[in-house]
């Protein structure tokens, strides 16, 4: 652990702002997390999910599922102090030829992973690809010509979870044995948040454990902080930043409050209130010895109440999804920012 902590100090690159111990994803000193959504119907949407990327999951293809309005497809994120570079899929694949990129997290990670695989596929539509699911948790999209793999590993809590016959699902806040699946990857993009907020739901009730003690009625946000700290210590102790770049996909806002997201066709404008969990993420990441770069998407997703599938998930009008995101849509912007950061633009 001492070696990697020492090495981390030497590994900071000019691609990132060093003004703060919290490494926001930036380009030329411009914070991509601050800005506004503007209509750009000359360039967006970046693809047609059904026509261009038939491998996208049904629940994200809102047009195919009958969404009647189209304006949500045409918004571009405009950072306050710069322009976000356009996504260059060919350049991305060339730079990551022979490399492995892994998203680790919940279905919001899946949302972003599917967006990235589509953006890359439409850049090289004649290039053969393979989509495999070697395990129930792991999905691998490989661009054969480039020997580049874009993976999603389903892991909603990051820390270990066990299923007890009598006690149900137990989240072990100080245990992270499952992390061995993250080894040998060139870029890791972690995400965890939404499962913690659902931990007290009657359908997904979980218990939290520290050491040998199961703590009843634990505040989910306190549990989130402990679990995220366990993850951060593993990264500091096990990741060599000269070989692996680590990012944390920030908290994507959901919009279940008040009337939900049904019939919402325009983004919010202006400042947004503080979002739960964000301060915890910032504190944990800024306490780490290795640079873990925050892909801060919270503000831009708070604004996009119009970007959710709502009832257009393919599950019928009785099911409203105000947590995930339509594709094409907001996750494409997350990947534009990811690309700009990774390619050093």
């Amino acid at each position: 652990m001492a070696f990697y902590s020492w090495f981390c100090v030497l590994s900071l690159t000019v691609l990132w702002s060093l003004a703060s111990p919290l490494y926001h994803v930036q380009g030329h000193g411009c914070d991509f997390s601050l800005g506004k959504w503007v209509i750009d119907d000359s360039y967006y949407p970046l693809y047609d999910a059904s026509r261009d990327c038939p491998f996208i999951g049904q629940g994200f293809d809102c047009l195919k599922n009958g969404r009647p309005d189209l304006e949500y497809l045409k918004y571009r994120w405009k950072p306050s102090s710069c322009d976000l570079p356009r996504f260059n899929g060919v350049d991305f694949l060339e730079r990551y030829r022979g490399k492995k990129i892994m998203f680790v997290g919940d279905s919001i990670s899946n949302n972003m992973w599917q967006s990235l695989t589509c953006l890359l596929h439409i850049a090289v539509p004649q290039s053969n690809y393979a989509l495999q699911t070697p395990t129930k948790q792991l999905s691998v999209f490989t661009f054969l010509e480039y020997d580049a793999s874009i993976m999603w590993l389903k892991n909603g809590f990051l820390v270990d979870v066990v299923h007890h016959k009598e006690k149900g699902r137990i989240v072990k806040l100080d245990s992270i044995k499952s992390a061995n699946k993250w080894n040998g990857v060139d870029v890791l993009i972690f995400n965890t948040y939404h499962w913690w907020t659902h931990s007290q739901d009657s359908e997904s009730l979980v218990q939290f454990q520290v050491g040998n003690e199961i703590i009843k009625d634990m505040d989910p946000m306190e549990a989130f902080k402990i679990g995220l700290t366990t993850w951060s210590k593993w990264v500091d102790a096990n990741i060599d930043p000269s070989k692996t770049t680590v990012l944390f996909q920030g908290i994507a806002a959901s919009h279940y409050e008040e009337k939900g997201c049904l019939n919402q066709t325009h983004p919010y404008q202006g400042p947004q209130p503080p979002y739960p969990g964000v301060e915890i993420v910032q504190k944990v990441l800024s306490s780490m010895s290795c640079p873990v770069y925050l892909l801060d998407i919270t503000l831009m997703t708070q604004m996009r109440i119009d970007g959710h599938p709502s009832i257009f998930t393919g599950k019928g009008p009785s099911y409203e999804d105000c947590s995930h995101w339509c594709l094409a849509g907001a996750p494409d912007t997350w990947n534009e920012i990811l690309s700009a950061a990774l390619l050093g633009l």
Side-chain angles (χ1 to χ4, degrees), residues 9-184:
V9 175
L10 300 180
S11 68
L12 301 176
T13 96
V14 294
L15 303 182
W16 313 96
S17 168
L18 305 184
S20 166
L22 178 63
Y23 304 109
H24 275 78
V25 169
Q26 301 192 342
H28 294 305
C30 174
D31 190 341
F32 290 137
S33 69
L34 303 176
K36 62 182 180 180
W37 292 99
V38 297
I39 287 286
D40 185 350
D41 54 11
S42 65
Y43 191 63
Y44 292 83
L46 299 178
Y47 54 86
D48 179 309
S50 299
R51 181 194 65 212
D52 300 326
C53 305
F55 45 80
I56 284 181
Q58 179 184 11
F60 301 152
D61 190 348
C62 300
L63 280 184
K64 184 177 181 180
N65 295 325
R67 181 163 177 170
D69 60 302
L70 300 177
E71 195 164 288
Y72 77 95
L73 293 165
K74 301 176 181 179
Y75 282 100
R76 171 173 59 88
W77 179 248
K78 176 64 176 70
S80 299
S81 305
C82 62
D83 286 316
L84 181 58
R86 291 187 174 184
F87 187 89
N88 187 330
V90 174
D91 190 22
F92 191 103
L93 285 168
E94 286 290 356
R95 296 200 187 200
Y96 282 91
R97 184 183 289 271
K99 305 292 187 181
K100 296 179 180 179
I101 297 173
M102 178 182 281
F103 293 87
V104 184
D106 56 25
S107 53
I108 306 300
S109 281
N110 181 24
N111 228 166
M112 187 174 177
W113 169 73
Q114 293 207 11
S115 163
L116 181 58
T117 58
C118 184
L119 288 169
L120 294 173
H121 170 63
I122 61 173
V124 289
Q126 305 305 317
S127 185
N128 291 331
Y129 68 85
L131 178 56
Q132 300 172 307
T133 52
T135 70
K136 187 177 180 180
Q137 288 76 35
L138 180 63
S139 299
V140 182
F141 196 109
T142 303
F143 291 88
L144 302 178
E145 177 184 349
Y146 297 88
D147 189 28
S149 296
I150 316 297
M151 300 175 281
W152 170 52
L153 182 64
K154 184 178 181 180
N155 187 336
F157 290 102
L158 298 184
V159 293
D160 293 334
V161 179
V162 296
H163 297 271
H164 193 278
K165 182 179 294 186
E166 298 177 355
K167 298 178 181 178
R169 184 163 57 173
I170 301 173
V171 179
K172 305 180 76 171
L173 299 178
D174 56 353
S175 176
I176 198 161
K177 296 178 182 177
S178 60
N180 62 345
K181 298 177 182 178
W182 310 339
N183 293 323

Side-chain angles (χ1 to χ4, degrees), residues 161-222:
V161 179
V162 296
H163 297 271
H164 193 278
K165 182 179 294 186
E166 298 177 355
K167 298 178 181 178
R169 184 163 57 173
I170 301 173
V171 179
K172 305 180 76 171
L173 299 178
D174 56 353
S175 176
I176 198 161
K177 296 178 182 177
S178 60
N180 62 345
K181 298 177 182 178
W182 310 339
N183 293 323
V185 179
D186 299 283
V187 179
L188 283 165
I189 304 142
F190 291 99
N191 167 59
T192 184
Y193 178 69
H194 283 278
W195 284 20
W196 301 88
T197 65
H198 300 320
S199 64
Q200 301 304 306
D201 295 348
S202 58
E203 296 183 359
S204 57
L205 185 63
V206 303
Q207 299 184 70
F208 298 115
Q209 179 176 332
V210 177
N212 295 320
E213 180 183 2
I214 293 178
I215 304 174
K216 295 184 178 180
D217 301 320
M218 188 175 192
D219 179 0
M221 287 297 96
E222 178 63 22

Side-chain angles (χ1 to χ4, degrees), residues 322-339:
C322 298
S323 179
H324 300 99
W325 303 88
C326 294
L327 295 177
D332 303 325
T333 293
W334 312 347
N335 282 310
E336 288 178 299
I337 296 173
L338 172 68
S339 176

